[in-house]
């Protein structure tokens, strides 16, 4: 059968597609900007015929009944390895639980967890080309692995999705059904940097030499540093997430990827999340290579890059150097994602550096993010033995190899001046550092 006829034969409606999901099954979903909004909006409408469906998910962006509506209790249970806004709202209701893992292992962990197979996969793709290939477009973190492992694969076809290159292609013959929904794409506009974020951007820029390869993470700070890199030359990108800031740096001639060790001449990443500017940029762009998250985030792959610099952000760092980026005390906030992967990978690279940058205070300056001990319940994202460089608007703390007393000194130096005495006093009182170098 020719590809176009095969496509037509597999085309069903969205209600028919969700109708194929059965009670007690596990449903895997494509993540972030590649989530299938039509299929996800339909899910909740099938609750009365579905019991005990486990939905495996990461960074969902939309607002969907199957997540938000308390009536879904007993019908859907959500297993999520990176929370979005909706997940934070419902976490306390007990219909959702977080899966701790590292991005490069996320899909394989699912495969190997006992009795935890993915029965059905819902994803998105572009319409097929004349040979029957579709592009998985904006997301390749776990999508291709889930397509390979699921018994039933249904893709939501959206002509607004860019055709991306690299390992993104699947053939229509590998897909069981398609539905069509040409919805506008989910966008994450960059926020305007605050004064503190600008100061942080300036410090980070000092640490980035010409010819470095960068990973920029999610959150306000990684975005804020782009303007400070405009004078650098021949930067490269090896990241998990492509962002709008990278497009600006490419268009300004700063990112050339010319001096990269791996995929020379190309930016490499696993998913794209930003605005239409980014989606237009990645469309059919031979300079942008999408690879699976198991590849982009494998620390040993990252470490092969020369002068690899990873830049991520955090919520709290204690004086020992333990980094919490995923919870506020007991309140689960996001996930590890690829933070530990990229932080470790950067340190495996020759002249590489793993940077965690954060504002020195939160909640309008009322709490210090540098603390003697992490808040009770805080989840550790980067352990102290892996931590490398911490940056705030007050400077840079190089922690690698330092003892705890010197780490505490270095971190107090970059904490907010209003909190320095208190952090020092408590650090001593708790016996973490009984006596600092300068006495007291
Ligand atoms: N104590 C209490 N609350 C704090 C806090 C602290 N120490 N630090 C931050 N907060 C609050 C903020 O006030 C804000 O609250 P609000 O939502 O009510 O406004 C919230 O936590 C988020 O803080 P913010 O600094 O705006 O977050 P962000 O959008 O810049 O994201 C992370 C920061 C750390 C949550 C995000 O980068 C993340 O999830 N990282 C882990 C994964 C990762 O880095 N992966 C690799 C790259 S893709």
């Amino acid at each position: 059968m020719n590809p176009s006829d095969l496509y037509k034969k597999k085309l069903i409606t969205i209600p028919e597609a969700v109708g194929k999901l059965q009670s007690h099954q596990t449903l895997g979903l494509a993540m972030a900007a590649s989530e299938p909004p039509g299929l996800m909006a339909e899910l909740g409408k099938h609750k009365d015929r579905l019991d005990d469906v486990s939905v495996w998910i990461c960074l969902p962006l939309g607002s969907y009944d199957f997540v938000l509506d308390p009536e879904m209790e007993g019908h859907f249970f959500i297993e999520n390895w990176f929370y979005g806004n909706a997940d934070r709202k419902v976490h306390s209701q007990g219909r959702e639980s977080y899966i701790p893992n590292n991005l490069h292992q996320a899909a394989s962990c699912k495969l190997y967890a006992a009795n935890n197979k993915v029965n059905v996969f819902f994803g998105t793709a572009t319409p097929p080309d004349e040979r029957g290939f579709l592009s998985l477009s904006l997301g390749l973190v776990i999508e291709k692995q889930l397509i390979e492992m699921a018994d039933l694969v249904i893709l939501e076809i959206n002509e607004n999705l860019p055709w991306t290159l690299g390992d993104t292609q699947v053939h229509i013959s590998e897909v069981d059904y398609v539905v069509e929904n040409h919805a506008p794409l989910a966008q994450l506009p960059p926020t305007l940097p605050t004064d503190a974020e600008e100061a942080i951007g300036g410090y980070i820029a000092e640490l980035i030499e010409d010819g470095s390869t960068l990973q920029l993470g999610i959150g306000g700070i990684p975005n804020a540093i782009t303007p400070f890199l405009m004078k650098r030359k021949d930067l490269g990108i090896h990241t998990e997430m492509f962002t709008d800031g990278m497009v600006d740096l490419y268009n300004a001639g700063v990112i050339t990827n010319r001096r990269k060790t791996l995929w020379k001449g190309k930016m490499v990443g696993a998913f794209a999340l930003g605005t239409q500017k980014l989606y237009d940029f990645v469309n059919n762009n031979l300079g942008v290579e999408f690879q699976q998250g198991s590849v982009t985030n494998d620390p040993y792959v990252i470490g092969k890059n020369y002068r690899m610099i990873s830049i991520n952000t955090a919520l709290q760092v204690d004086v020992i150097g333990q980094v919490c980026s995923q919870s506020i005390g007991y309140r689960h906030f996001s996930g590890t994602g690829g933070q530990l992967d990229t932080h470790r990978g950067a340190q495996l690279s020759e002249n590489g550096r793993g940077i965690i940058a954060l504002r020195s205070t939160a909640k309008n300056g009322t709490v210090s993010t540098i603390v003697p001990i992490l808040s009770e319940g805080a989840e550790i994202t980067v352990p102290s033995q892996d931590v490398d460089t911490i940056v705030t608007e007050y400077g840079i703390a190089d922690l690698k190899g330092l003892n705890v007393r010197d780490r505490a000194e270095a971190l107090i130096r970059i904490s907010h001046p209003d909190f320095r005495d208190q952090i020092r006093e408590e650090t001593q009182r708790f016996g973490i550092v009984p006596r600092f170098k300068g006495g007291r």
Side-chain angles (χ1 to χ4, degrees), residues 81-82 101-104 215 217-218 222 240 297 299 302 310-317 322-326 334-347 354-357 379-383 386-387 390:
W81 57 279
F82 200 103
N101 68 21
N102 290 309
L103 184 143
H104 83 282
Q215 174 264 339
I218 196 163
E240 66 192 59
N297 275 52
I302 296 171
S310 76
I311 302 157
N312 293 299
T313 180
L315 298 170
Q316 235 183 12
V317 178
Q322 304 189 93
V323 175
C324 166
S325 314
Q326 59 195 66
S334 54
T336 305
Q339 184 165 122
L340 185 56
D341 288 341
T342 52
H343 196 77
R344 281 179 171 157
Q347 292 174 78
I355 299 173
I356 300 289
E379 300 168 33
I380 291 170
T381 310
V382 179
D386 280 303
V387 81
I390 307 286

Side-chain angles (χ1 to χ4, degrees), residues 79-346:
E79 298 184 274
N80 186 336
W81 57 279
F82 200 103
Y83 276 23
N85 282 332
D87 311 291
R88 282 173 211 135
K89 284 188 197 138
V90 303
H91 175 80
S92 61
Q93 297 169 19
R95 285 180 286 109
E96 167 146 4
S97 192
Y98 171 65
I99 309 173
N101 68 21
N102 290 309
L103 184 143
H104 83 282
Q105 295 165 318
S108 54
C109 283
K110 184 66 190 163
L111 185 59
Y112 294 118
N115 301 320
N116 241 347
K117 188 172 169 28
V118 169
N119 304 102
V120 180
F121 173 72
F122 288 169
T124 46
T126 61
D129 68 5
E130 70 278 9
R131 294 188 177 83
F133 285 101
L134 313 103
S135 167
L136 295 176
S137 189
L138 297 175
L140 205 58
V141 171
I142 35 89
E143 287 73 5
K144 208 161 187 180
Q145 281 173 288
L146 294 193
I147 287 173
E148 279 163 21
M149 80 173 74
D151 299 324
L152 185 77
V153 173
I154 302 180
L155 295 183
E156 185 170 315
I157 305 302
N158 185 344
E159 62 195 16
N160 297 319
L161 285 167
W163 181 279
T164 60
L165 303 174
D167 192 14
T168 49
Q169 291 77 42
V170 288
H171 195 262
I172 184 69
S173 57
E174 297 166 68
V175 177
D176 295 292
Y177 296 100
V178 288
V179 299
E180 288 182 348
N181 181 26
H182 306 298
L185 303 179
Q187 304 207 18
L188 183 73
T191 48
L192 274 180
T194 60
D195 290 348
E197 286 171 342
E198 289 201 341
I200 290 169
Y203 283 119
I204 294 176
E206 284 175 18
L207 301 173
I208 297 172
E209 294 172 50
D210 293 347
S212 301
T213 292
L214 308 184
Q215 174 264 339
L216 301 179
I218 196 163
I221 290 170
N223 251 326
I225 83 151
T226 347
F228 294 91
L229 296 177
M230 286 297 175
K231 294 208 175 80
R232 295 288 176 278
K233 291 193 181 65
D234 289 329
L235 297 182
I237 295 293
H238 182 120
T239 191
E240 66 192 59
M241 178 170 128
F242 291 118
T243 62
D244 278 45
M246 294 173 188
V247 181
D248 297 336
L249 288 170
Y250 184 88
N251 289 339
V254 174
I255 292 175
T256 62
N257 300 297
R258 198 178 285 151
R259 289 167 66 181
K260 283 180 75 182
T261 339
L262 301 177
W263 290 284
K264 207 183 263 293
K266 288 178 196 265
M267 291 187 191
V268 178
F271 76 108
L273 180 56
T275 66
Q276 194 60 41
K277 173 169 80 175
L278 173 66
Y279 304 152
D280 290 341
F281 178 78
V282 298
N283 185 38
N284 222 346
N285 188 339
L286 275 168
V288 181
E289 173 88 8
F290 281 71
Q291 284 288 327
Q292 298 189 41
S294 57
V295 177
T296 57
N297 275 52
D298 179 336
Y300 293 100
V301 174
I302 296 171
K304 284 187 188 146
N305 287 298
Y306 173 66
R307 215 176 257 169
M308 178 79 217
I309 312 284
S310 76
I311 302 157
N312 293 299
T313 180
L315 298 170
Q316 235 183 12
V317 178
D318 72 14
V319 292
I320 302 172
Q322 304 189 93
V323 175
C324 166
S325 314
Q326 59 195 66
S327 79
I328 300 169
Y330 290 113
R331 192 179 143 224
H332 185 77
F333 192 81
S334 54
T336 305
Q339 184 165 122
L340 185 56
D341 288 341
T342 52
H343 196 77
R344 281 179 171 157

